[in-house]
């Protein structure tokens, strides 16, 4: 029976992630039927097929890992795979295969993350874990020089990218050590970071995350108390400070369309256009970094006229710099007309206190709990770059010197 045919049928069978008695009952019938089909459509000696299974298993399963626990669990997975145990086949099947459209630059594949992390070994020894493997050395050196060592978007790298489904007891370094042994024969190497592997095993909260959760609960409590106070107060007998966190007060101010006579309302339209430009540009740039997008399509279309706004999204950011400069100059001139002297210290302090609280909240979230907001094969790898910068350079960001 062909390995590829077997994996195809197993993929069709695994629509129910928990397996179940129905799948187990049907598996024997499908196996018997596929064996008959394979003898007709793929008349290959049994020894050749067995060798193919062994080679596939030795590539996907980290038998050459560094830690003893990973080696033991990988050996169990390897032997179970050769014995056609359903859980082991599902893990190998969840790993990447050769994608279609390679000649057009489709050299990246993410396998089946959900299938991988749903697998559990017998006696709950371990669960499936997806590791995203970036490589170096498959493409010519002239192309490889263009690759950043650690890009923000994984797919910016122009080299082979694939995933392997391995036991959750294996570390990223275990997988890297094994794949370097395998890829060494073709003068290629694996690039794997600690954030390249992900599973559905819950990660305990650390002290910093608990502090952020406590701070969020404190702010929520203030909002509830402040809103309750405003709702219970009668007439104008309200303390302004106690209403500072009220939903009614802040909601009324945020949704108000009232403008003062001194406001430059002509800039509002420019703000909207620039904002839409930035949102569209960033969305399209995200699409350009999609794993499934073929590199040939990007090269052929990137210089077309309709793509010009996307390539020049940075100009929309400069529009906001222009608007800020206009408003600062306008405010200075208004104060000059009122015979007021500009206080430089007060000016910078006011702007710092106005901008920093929101920026600090975003930095705090990115450095701690924001990693838990989503999941997927690339999420930890992508978000670790942002989170690491916020953890190490938060002070530079809050001082606006980053």
């Amino acid at each position: 029976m062909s390995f590829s045919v077997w994996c195809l049928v197993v993929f069709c069978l695994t629509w129910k992630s928990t397996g179940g008695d129905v799948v187990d009952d049907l598996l024997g019938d499908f196996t018997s039927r596929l064996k008959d089909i394979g003898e007709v459509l793929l008349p290959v000696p049994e020894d050749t097929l067995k060798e193919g299974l062994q080679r596939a298993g030795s590539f996907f399963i980290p038998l050459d890992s560094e830690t003893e626990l990973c080696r033991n669990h990988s050996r169990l997975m390897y032997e179970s795979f050769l014995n056609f145990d359903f859980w082991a086949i599902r893990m190998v099947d969840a790993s990447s295969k050769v994608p279609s459209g390679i000649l057009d630059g489709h050299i990246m594949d993410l396998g089946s993350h959900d299938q991988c992390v749903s697998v559990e070994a017998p006696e709950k020894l371990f669960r499936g874990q997806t590791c995203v493997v970036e490589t170096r050395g498959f493409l010519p050196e002239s192309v490889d020089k263009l690759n950043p060592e650690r890009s923000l978007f994984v797919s910016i790298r122009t080299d082979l990218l694939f995933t392997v489904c391995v036991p959750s007891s294996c570390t990223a370094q275990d997988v890297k050590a094994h794949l370097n042994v395998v890829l060494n024969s073709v003068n290629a190497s694996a690039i794997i970071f600690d954030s390249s592997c992900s599973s559905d095993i819950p990660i305990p909260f650390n002290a910093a995350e608990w502090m952020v959760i406590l701070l969020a609960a404190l702010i929520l409590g203030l909002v509830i108390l402040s809103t309750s106070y405003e709702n219970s107060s009668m007439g104008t007998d309200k303390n302004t400070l106690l209403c500072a966190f009220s939903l009614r007060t802040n909601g009324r101010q945020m949704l108000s369309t009232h403008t003062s006579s001194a406001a430059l309302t002509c800039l509002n339209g420019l703000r909207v256009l620039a904002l839409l430009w930035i949102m569209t540009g960033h969305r399209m740039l995200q699409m350009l970094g999609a794993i499934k997008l073929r590199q040939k399509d990007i090269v052929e279309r990137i210089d077309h006229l309709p793509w010009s706004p996307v390539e020049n999204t940075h100009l929309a950011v400069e529009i906001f710099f222009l608007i800020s400069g206009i408003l600062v100059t306008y405010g200075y001139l208004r104060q000059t007309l009122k015979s007021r002297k500009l206080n430089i210290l007060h000016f910078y302090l006011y702007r710092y206190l106005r901008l920093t609280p929101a920026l600090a909240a975003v930095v705090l979230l990115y450095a701690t709990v924001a990693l838990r907001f989503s999941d997927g094969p690339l999420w930890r790898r992508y978000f670790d770059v942002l989170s690491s910068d916020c953890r190490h350079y938060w002070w530079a960001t809050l001082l606006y010197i980053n």
Side-chain angles (χ1 to χ4, degrees):
M1 180 178 54
S2 166
F3 170 74
S4 59
V5 175
W6 172 262
C7 286
L8 176 62
V9 173
V10 170
F11 177 80
C12 296
L13 289 174
T14 52
W15 64 271
K16 188 174 182 180
S17 61
T18 56
D21 295 335
V22 176
V23 173
D24 293 338
D25 293 341
L26 292 175
L27 188 58
D29 295 337
F30 270 96
T31 303
S32 177
R33 177 56 178 158
L34 283 175
K35 186 175 182 180
D36 297 336
I37 296 175
E39 292 175 352
V40 177
L41 299 182
L42 197 70
V44 179
E46 190 70 24
D47 293 341
T48 304
L49 293 175
K50 186 176 181 180
E51 182 182 354
L53 289 174
Q54 292 174 346
R55 285 182 175 273
S58 62
F59 176 82
F60 289 111
I61 304 172
L63 299 173
D64 299 305
S65 56
E66 295 180 343
T67 61
E68 183 178 0
L69 181 60
C70 179
R71 285 197 300 270
N72 292 338
H73 287 173
S74 297
R75 176 60 60 178
L76 172 63
M77 178 182 169
Y78 180 72
E79 293 174 353
S80 300
F81 171 69
L82 295 182
N83 291 330
F84 293 102
D85 289 343
F86 191 56
W87 66 270
I89 292 178
R90 288 191 68 203
M91 289 186 66
V92 175
D93 177 55
S95 300
S96 294
K97 312 296 187 302
V98 178
S100 59
I102 290 181
L103 298 181
D104 281 351
H106 187 195
I107 55 176
M108 302 181 183
D109 185 78
L110 294 178
S112 179
H113 173 72
D114 291 337
Q115 178 176 317
C116 175
V117 299
S118 68
V119 177
E120 187 174 68
E123 300 180 4
K124 298 183 178 180
L125 287 177
F126 56 84
R127 297 186 64 86
Q129 174 183 231
T130 300
C131 290
V132 179
V133 183
E134 303 164 61
T135 62
R136 169 161 287 168
F138 277 99
L139 297 185
E141 186 178 353
S142 58
V143 178
D144 186 65
K145 289 181 179 179
L146 303 175
N147 283 323
E149 180 64 28
R150 188 172 181 132
S151 59
L152 178 59
F153 299 107
V154 180
S155 52
I156 289 180
R157 292 186 53 83
T158 54
D159 212 325
L160 192 66
L161 181 145
F162 59 92
T163 64
V164 289
C165 183
V166 300
S168 56
S169 55
C170 296
T171 66
Q173 296 308 311
D174 285 327
V175 180
K176 182 177 182 180
H178 167 75
L179 288 174
N180 278 335
V181 172
V182 175
L183 300 178
N184 184 57
S185 59
V186 292
N187 295 324
S189 59
I191 302 176
I192 306 177
F193 304 95
D194 291 337
S195 57
S196 299
C197 298
S198 57
S199 67
D200 65 350
I201 299 177
I203 302 175
F205 288 89
N206 57 37
E209 290 175 323
W210 280 116
M211 290 180 62
V212 172
I213 294 174
L214 181 62
L215 178 61
L218 178 62
I219 295 176
L220 180 61
L222 289 174
V223 171
I224 294 175
L225 292 176
S226 183
T227 304
S228 300
Y229 167 76
E230 183 175 11
N231 290 335
S232 61
S233 299
M234 301 299 294
T236 58
D237 188 21
K238 298 178 183 179
N239 188 301
T240 305
L241 180 61
L242 296 179
C243 294
F245 287 87
S246 172
L247 285 177
R248 290 185 59 184
T249 298
N250 290 282
R252 190 183 307 115
Q253 292 177 357
M254 287 189 296
L255 298 177
S256 174
T257 58
H258 174 74
T259 56
S260 65
S261 58
L264 293 177
T265 56
C266 59
L267 296 178
N268 292 339
L270 189 59
R271 281 196 185 100
V272 172
L273 293 176
L275 182 62
L276 291 176
W277 189 359
I278 290 176
M279 292 174 62
T280 304
H282 279 78
R283 183 69 184 96
M284 298 305 294
L285 289 175
Q286 289 276 357
M287 291 177 62
L288 286 177
I291 292 293
K292 293 296 183 182
L293 195 62
R294 300 177 180 182
Q295 301 296 328
K296 181 182 176 183
D297 294 338
I298 299 177
V299 173
E300 290 179 345
R301 293 179 171 84
I302 194 64
D303 290 329
H304 288 187
L305 183 61
W307 280 102
S308 298
V310 177
E311 295 183 78
N312 295 281
T313 303
H314 62 280
L315 296 178
V317 180
E318 295 181 9
I319 292 177
F320 280 104
F321 292 153
L322 173 64
I323 293 176
S324 297
I326 292 174
L327 293 175
V328 169
T329 305
Y330 179 67
Y332 168 74
L333 293 176
R334 289 186 68 248
Q335 288 193 9
T336 303
L337 291 176
K338 294 179 181 180
S339 300
R340 294 180 184 176
K341 194 174 181 179
L342 178 64
N343 189 325
I344 299 295
L345 180 63
H346 177 270
F347 169 79
Y348 279 105
L349 182 63
Y350 172 77
R351 291 190 65 82
Y352 183 84
L353 294 178
R354 180 182 179 185
L355 300 175
T356 305
L359 176 62
V362 173
V363 170
L364 188 61
L365 286 176
Y366 267 61
T368 54
V369 298
L371 178 64
R372 301 176 181 272
F373 291 170
S374 186
D375 190 20
L378 292 177
W379 174 250
R380 291 177 59 86
R381 168 71 178 86
Y382 160 72
F383 198 84
D384 180 65
V385 179
L386 302 176
S387 179
S388 177
D389 288 342
C390 288
R391 289 194 304 269
H392 295 97
Y393 305 111
W394 58 268
W395 57 273
T397 302
L398 297 184
L399 291 176
Y400 299 94
I401 58 175
N402 57 322

